[in-house]
């Protein structure tokens, strides 16, 4: 099969690799029809995190079930399915708690499972991981574009909003204008936030934030961003969504938090080797909640809204490529020419 592989910083190649096969009774093989390139893929692409080379890449697959192992009961060949970035069993202590990313039987895309940016993937926990798209929506191209962000960014933005305690009438600040930050805005609006301040520094992305329901846009960084948010919120927001993961973003997040506020964080921590300074949290009784998003826990709830047409994250896809265009997709995201790249196979 054809699949994208990482060969080193800045070097993604689409090449011929072995097709994954069923190796256990709970496995399924999915023929990928749609996938995406993620902001988190840029960490290794830029050489800022280590990754084996060559290795398959991608973790946001949607497609058609091709084959299932003998114990699989929730999906069958021909079903349209999507999967979160983490594989989980759905039955262990942590899955039952909605903490699927801590699944004791968990697995990931990559290695000989195939990455999400290739023609086929093997899912080692098919019943716990794969989510079926209802048949009457399974072939509508527009609907599929709107569903694909459920594999990661929409649910991750939602996790930031939930972790920050966003509720009806809330005032919140969203730090970061990448796909996750934009989905955080969408999720906060869905949860009933009345005031949503989007903080970023790309005009085109903030325009999407506005379309998604942001009531105030702050295009600045660092101290200037903090001042602007504190000004429009009269001293800080009660709910802050940290959607980047960089040390500077966490700093901005805590500095725009009102005393007693909650910061929901979902960005993979980077540049925090020296640790997070707890003093600003201590001084104003600010709570820090969140972590890696247990996407699988949120898919059904959010999918229902996407299918009824009240939730549409598809504007985060500002560029579409085919499988051979994946290297170009990485370049576009790295150079900020695209917010998020959709890959249609
Ligand atoms: Zn992702
Ligand atoms: Zn589990």
């Amino acid at each position: 099969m054809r699949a994208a592989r990482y060969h080193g910083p800045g070097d993604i190649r689409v090449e011929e690799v072995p097709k994954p096969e069923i190796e256990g009774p709970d496995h399924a093989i999915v023929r990928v029809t749609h996938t995406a390139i993620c902001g988190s893929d840029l960490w290794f692409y830029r050489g800022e995190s280590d990754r084996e080379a060559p290795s398959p890449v991608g973790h946001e697959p949607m497609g058609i079930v091709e084959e299932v192992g003998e114990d699989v009961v929730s999906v069958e060949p021909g079903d349209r399915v999507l999967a979160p970035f983490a594989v989980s069993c759905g039955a262990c202590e942590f899955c039952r708690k909605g903490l699927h990313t801590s699944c004791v039987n968990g697995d990931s895309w990559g290695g000989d499972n195939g990455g999400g940016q290739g023609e086929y993937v093997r899912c080692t926990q098919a019943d716990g991981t794969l989510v079926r798209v209802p048949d009457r929506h399974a072939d509508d191209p527009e609907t599929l574009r709107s569903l694909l962000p459920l594999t990661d960014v929409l649910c991750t933005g939602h996790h930031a909003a939930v972790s920050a305690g966003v509720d009806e009438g809330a005032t919140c600040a969203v730090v970061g204008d990448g796909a996750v930050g934009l989905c955080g805005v969408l999720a906060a609006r869905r949860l009933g936030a009345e005031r949503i301040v989007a903080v970023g520094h790309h005009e085109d992305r903030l325009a999407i934030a506005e379309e998604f329901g942001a009531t105030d846009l702050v295009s600045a960084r660092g101290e200037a961003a903090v001042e602007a948010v504190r000004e429009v919120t009269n001293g800080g927001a009660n709910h802050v969504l940290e959607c980047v993961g960089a040390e500077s973003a966490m700093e901005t997040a805590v500095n725009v938090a009102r005393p007693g506020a909650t910061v929901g964080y979902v960005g993979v921590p980077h540049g925090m080797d020296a640790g997070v300074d707890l003093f600003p949290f201590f001084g104003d009784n600010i709570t820090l909640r969140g972590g890696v998003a247990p996407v699988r826990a949120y898919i059904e709830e959010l999918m229902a809204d996407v299918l009824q047409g009240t939730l549409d994250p598809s504007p985060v896809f500002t560029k579409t490529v085919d499988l051979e265009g994946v290297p170009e997709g990485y370049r576009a995201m790295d150079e900020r020419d695209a917010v998020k790249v959709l890959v249609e196979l």
Side-chain angles (χ1 to χ4, degrees), residues 89-92 95 103-104:
C89 75
C92 73
C95 284
C103 177
V104 299

Side-chain angles (χ1 to χ4, degrees), residues 38 40 59-60 152:
C38 190
S40 66
H59 56 253
E60 296 164 283
D152 185 349

Side-chain angles (χ1 to χ4, degrees), residues 251-276:
E251 230 176 78
T252 301
V254 70
N255 287 328
V256 300
R258 201 175 191 83
T262 304
V263 175
Y265 80 109
V266 293
V268 183
H270 273 270
M272 298 193 198
D273 298 348
V276 174

Side-chain angles (χ1 to χ4, degrees), residues 30 34-35 59-63 80-88 109 116 121-123 125-126 128-133 147-152 295-296 299 303:
V30 177
H34 298 70
T35 185
H59 56 253
E60 296 164 283
M62 174 163 72
R80 163 81 59 189
V81 294
L82 54 85
F85 63 77
V87 170
S88 55
W109 308 109
V121 286
R122 169 178 51 229
C123 179
Q125 295 283 345
T129 306
L130 301 176
V131 183
R132 255 190 91 212
V133 176
L147 288 173
L148 187 64
L150 288 167
T151 59
D152 185 349
V295 165
R296 184 64 187 81
I299 291 183
M303 182 187 276

Side-chain angles (χ1 to χ4, degrees), residues 143-158:
T143 305
L144 296 178
R145 275 176 77 91
S146 302
L147 288 173
L148 187 64
L150 288 167
T151 59
D152 185 349
V153 288
L154 178 57
C155 297
T156 300
H158 178 69

Side-chain angles (χ1 to χ4, degrees), residues 125-306:
Q125 295 283 345
D127 282 335
T129 306
L130 301 176
V131 183
R132 255 190 91 212
V133 176
D135 285 340
R136 66 195 174 92
H137 298 288
D139 298 308
D140 177 51
E142 287 305 308
T143 305
L144 296 178
R145 275 176 77 91
S146 302
L147 288 173
L148 187 64
L150 288 167
T151 59
D152 185 349
V153 288
L154 178 57
C155 297
T156 300
H158 178 69
H159 187 55
V162 169
S163 298
V166 175
D167 55 6
E168 205 70 46
T171 292
C172 53
V174 180
V175 179
D177 59 4
V180 171
L182 296 173
C183 287
V185 170
L186 203 53
R189 189 191 59 177
R190 176 179 172 277
L191 292 169
E194 197 176 291
R195 197 83 185 272
I196 304 171
V197 185
V199 185
H201 47 268
H202 302 88
E203 300 301 329
D204 53 330
R205 296 172 181 220
L206 289 171
I208 300 174
E210 190 166 27
E211 183 187 334
F212 279 1
T215 54
D216 300 82
L217 306 177
V218 168
S219 181
R221 297 180 193 242
E223 202 41 51
V226 171
E227 261 172 47
V229 176
R230 292 175 66 93
E231 163 118 34
V232 297
T233 55
N234 256 320
N238 273 319
H239 310 274
V240 182
L241 287 66
E242 192 285 296
C243 298
V244 181
E247 188 186 15
S248 56
M250 183 61 88
E251 230 176 78
T252 301
V254 70
N255 287 328
V256 300
R258 201 175 191 83
T262 304
V263 175
Y265 80 109
V266 293
V268 183
H270 273 270
M272 298 193 198
D273 298 348
V276 174
D277 181 8
L278 279 180
F279 255 95
F281 292 93
F282 178 79
D284 282 322
N285 278 271
I286 291 162
T287 301
L288 182 61
R289 288 186 66 199
V292 59
V295 165
R296 184 64 187 81
Y298 299 129
I299 291 183
E300 278 91 349
E301 178 191 352
L302 297 176
M303 182 187 276
D305 283 20
V306 172

Side-chain angles (χ1 to χ4, degrees), residues 88-96 99-100 102-106:
S88 55
C89 75
C92 73
E93 174 192 346
F94 303 110
C95 284
R96 280 184 284 118
L99 257 188
H100 298 72
S102 297
C103 177
V104 299
N105 302 304

